[in-house]
Every structure is written in C-alpha cells, then in structure tokens.
Amino acid sequence: MIKNIGDYAVRTAGAAIEKAQHTAANTLHKTGLPQGAAHTANALGVPEYAQQKVSSIFERLGLTIKSGTSSVPRLPQEILELISNNADKKTNAAFAAASHSFAQAAGSTVQSLTFYGPHDLHLSAEMLKQNESLIGFAAHGLKHLTLNADRSPEGEYDLHDLQQIPDWMRASLQQVTVKAPLTGEAWDFLQTFPNMKKIEMADMTGPVHNTVLDHLPAGQPELHLRMPLSPHEMAQLQRFNQLKTVHVSVVPGKSLAEVLEPFTAPESGDEDAPETASVLHNAAIATLDFTVDRSGNHQQTHSHFQENDVDLLPESLKSLKLHGISPSIATLEQLKETKLTSLTLDEATLLSGDLLKHVLDHPTLTEFHAANAGLNAADAKTIAASPRLSAVYLPSNNRIGDEGLRALTANPRITHLDIARCGGSDRLLHNLAFNKPEHIQHINFDI
C-alpha cells in the first residue's frame, strides 16, 4: 500500500506534490521526529498517509526513548529504509545520515521487531549485516520477533528464510510470535534458538495447521484446522493439552454436523462413539469457514451451509465465513440469534439489495467482508449507514464507484476499510492518498 501511494506521489505534479510535501514534513515534525528525517520526507514527497505506517512501525519496534534525550532521533533506521524504497542512492544516503544517531542508541531501546513476509526478512537481514551503525543493536540483541505475512503467493516462511536471521538475533531471542504460514522445517528450526522460551501463534485469519501439527510446540492454545481431520491428524492433536480455541475451515461437501462431531464428548459408556482427539472436547470454535465446491454439481454447491445449520452453530462462534454462498433471508434472520461479531460473504452474488439489509440488521456484527459480491453504490450507502460496523472489507466490487466510496469514507464509525478495485476515480483516490480521513486507522485501495 505504501509503495503504491509512493509511486503515485512521484508521478503527481504541481500543487498536489507541494501540498503533500508540506503536510508530510509538518506531520512528521509534530510527532517528535528529527528535523533531518522531516527534511528527507519533504524531499521525497511522502504523503500524509505514510505517517500512519511510520507510527505503526515505531510502535511495533517497542521503542522507549527517555525524556530529555532530544539528541536521539525518534525515527528508526528500519522506518527510513522502508520509506526510501523508491528513492535514489543519494536520498537513501540522506536517510541513513538522518537516523545515524538513532542507530547508535538502538542497542538500548529496541526490544522487538516484525518482519512482513520472507521478502521483508531477507531485505532487513541484509541491511542489518551491512549497516555498521547497527553494531550497538547487534551487541544488545533482540528479545521478541514477530513473523507476519505479506499478501504475495510466496508468503510462507521456509527454512532458508529463517536461516537469514542473524546469529546474534537468534542467540538473544526469547519469544517469537507467528502470524504467517511456516513450513515444518521452519517450525523445527525456531525451536533450536538457544534462549527461546515461548513460540506463540496470534493469527485470527491464518493458515491451516494440519500439515505441520507434528512440528508445532505442544503448548499452543490456538489452532487453525481444516476439518474433518484424518485419523493421523486426530492422533497428532492429542499433544496439544493447552488447546482452548480452534478456527475451522470446512472441507467442501462436508456437513456442519460432521465437522462438529469431534467437539462433542461421548457419553459415558457409549462404546459406539467414534474415537476423537479428547483435546477438542474442551476447545471452543471461534471461526467457521465454508467454501463451495465449484467442481461439484448444482446441488452440492448449495449444500455446505443450510438454513437448518444455524441451530447447530456453537455458542462460542464469533466469526462465520461463507465463500460463494448466498444465504437466504430466513438464514440471516436466524443468524441474528447468534453472537457473531464478524461475517464474511465473499462472492455472494445475490447479496445486493434486501439481502444486504438483513445482514446489517445483525445486533452484534461489527466486521463485514464481502469481496467480489456485485455490490453497487446504493449497497455501499446501506453499509455506510450501519450504526455498528467499524471494519468493512469490500474489495473487487467495481460497481460501487465514487458515490459509494464517499459514503463509506465519511462514516466516522468505520475505522478499517478495504475498497480496492471498487471503481473509484483517479481524482477521488488521489484525494484519499493525500487526505485520509482522520477517523480511518487503516484503508486499502489501488491507485
């Protein structure tokens, strides 16, 4: 996202660039960033939206600059490198100079770091190896590492990726938080770090873990499973005696009853009860994810989630995802009795109009996803008028257009918004790039 906006800023001429530069310099300066960094942002024409990205990276680094140390810039080298991805060598050198003081003090301030995908890990690791100003950082070490995901098809970390982590970082790390897919070898490699005390997963939408169950640390409280499980996977689950929460994606063609069966403890003395992993009996289902089987016949593609399934939904369920399935109005009325906070209706081709209004009447729903669902400007206005939604994700609904996008971005309750490929004009998207509404914490769109 930041790269797209940066590219657009470079291509934009005249008064718009001048305004962007002035706003960026002022915004960066107000946050306490060093004058040199503000000047560099000015030279690059960094749009105001970039400040949000800068702030989030600053926070995830866990920086604690003591008061009175005004000589220490508050902009980490990593941020400068990120912002300058599209700059020439001379500008990159200016960035490095502006952050030199921070780099010298980083050894006593940086406690945590996040990599956004294998590509980011490789670039960052190379920077850490080559930049002599980060020697203090290396001497101090790092306590916490987060492996996050990017949106590329190559978003999975493998053994080779993790081997790029510098030796000094491996030696000092005590905790790793995984928010992205890892191969089995990568999981095993993490557990060889000499001072590792905790490896945790903290991903609410993440990849299925079936294929790496025998590699995961046994203390995981949360897993993403594709069900029904094979007998081998059931056996592997027995190791996870601290399992509390399960996110379930359903194999196409399987009924909800089949999926829920392993979560029900057999009654005492029931010799015919199927053997299941006992840990599932104590685990709560937080997410159910259904996808149609497009290779099946017409009846099969409509049999994955039916009206009578609503009564079977577990009370613990917070998120329901239906891909390629347009639920009936009767089903949506029944769903109002559940405590869902998030509903996904991607590729629900019948969603527009009255069906959408029934969706938005749900009393506890705060997050709504509807990618490629044929929504139009009127539908976007209906969504924008919701008194409860705070997160709205509507990519690939190209009939929404400017009128619908203006309604969505004007709603002060909506703080997270995805409007990529929603038919917005260049003029409107240009304005969003340089004048993002203050109430929106995260926005995604294509220029």
Side-chain angles (χ1 to χ4, degrees), residues 150-312:
D150 58 18
R151 298 187 179 185
S152 70
E154 298 79 26
E156 182 180 56
Y157 294 83
D158 59 22
L159 176 61
H160 173 68
D161 295 325
L162 297 194
Q163 286 176 335
Q164 305 310 305
I165 297 175
D167 291 340
W168 59 266
M169 192 181 293
R170 295 186 216 169
S172 62
L173 278 171
Q174 299 179 11
Q175 179 177 341
V176 172
T177 300
V178 178
K179 295 186 177 183
L182 270 65
T183 63
E185 289 183 326
W187 279 108
D188 292 341
F189 183 66
L190 275 182
Q191 297 177 66
T192 67
F193 290 18
N195 290 299
M196 187 66 66
K197 297 179 180 178
K198 184 178 182 181
I199 301 175
E200 65 174 0
M201 290 183 290
D203 183 6
M204 298 305 293
T205 61
V208 174
H209 295 128
N210 294 45
T211 59
V212 293
L213 284 174
D214 53 345
H215 296 277
L216 302 181
Q220 299 302 328
E222 186 172 344
L223 288 175
H224 295 256
L225 301 174
R226 188 165 178 82
M227 300 186 70
L229 299 171
S230 69
H232 173 73
E233 292 164 348
M234 279 290 189
Q236 291 292 340
L237 276 181
Q238 297 287 3
R239 298 192 305 115
F240 300 95
N241 54 15
Q242 297 183 43
L243 188 62
K244 301 296 182 185
T245 303
V246 177
H247 304 272
V248 175
S249 62
V250 181
V251 174
K254 298 298 181 179
S255 69
L256 180 59
E258 290 178 271
V259 170
L260 295 179
E261 187 178 28
F263 292 89
T264 304
E267 295 183 7
S268 178
D270 187 355
E271 297 180 355
D272 296 328
E275 292 186 10
T276 62
S278 59
V279 294
L280 290 182
H281 301 159
N282 299 318
I285 302 177
T287 304
L288 277 171
D289 190 340
F290 289 82
T291 302
V292 300
D293 182 0
R294 301 190 185 283
S295 62
N297 59 38
H298 180 79
Q299 183 179 359
Q300 287 177 319
T301 59
H302 288 77
S303 64
H304 302 80
F305 188 83
Q306 301 179 7
E307 185 176 325
N308 56 7
D309 285 336
V310 176
D311 290 337
L312 300 178

Side-chain angles (χ1 to χ4, degrees), residues 341 360 365-368 383-384 386-392 411 413-415:
T341 58
L360 301 177
L365 202 64
T366 59
E367 182 174 318
F368 180 54
I383 295 171
S386 167
R388 287 173 292 273
L389 291 181
S390 59
V392 176
N411 183 342
R413 290 181 297 274
I414 297 178
T415 59

Side-chain angles (χ1 to χ4, degrees), residues 31 94 179 234 254 316 325 405:
T31 62
K179 295 186 177 183
M234 279 290 189
K254 298 298 181 179
S316 59
I325 303 170
L405 296 183

Side-chain angles (χ1 to χ4, degrees), residues 5-6 9-10 17 20-22 24 39-48 434:
I5 294 179
V10 171
I17 274 288
Q21 294 172 343
H22 177 74
H39 285 169
T40 312
N42 190 349
L44 277 180
V46 178
E48 184 177 1
F434 294 129

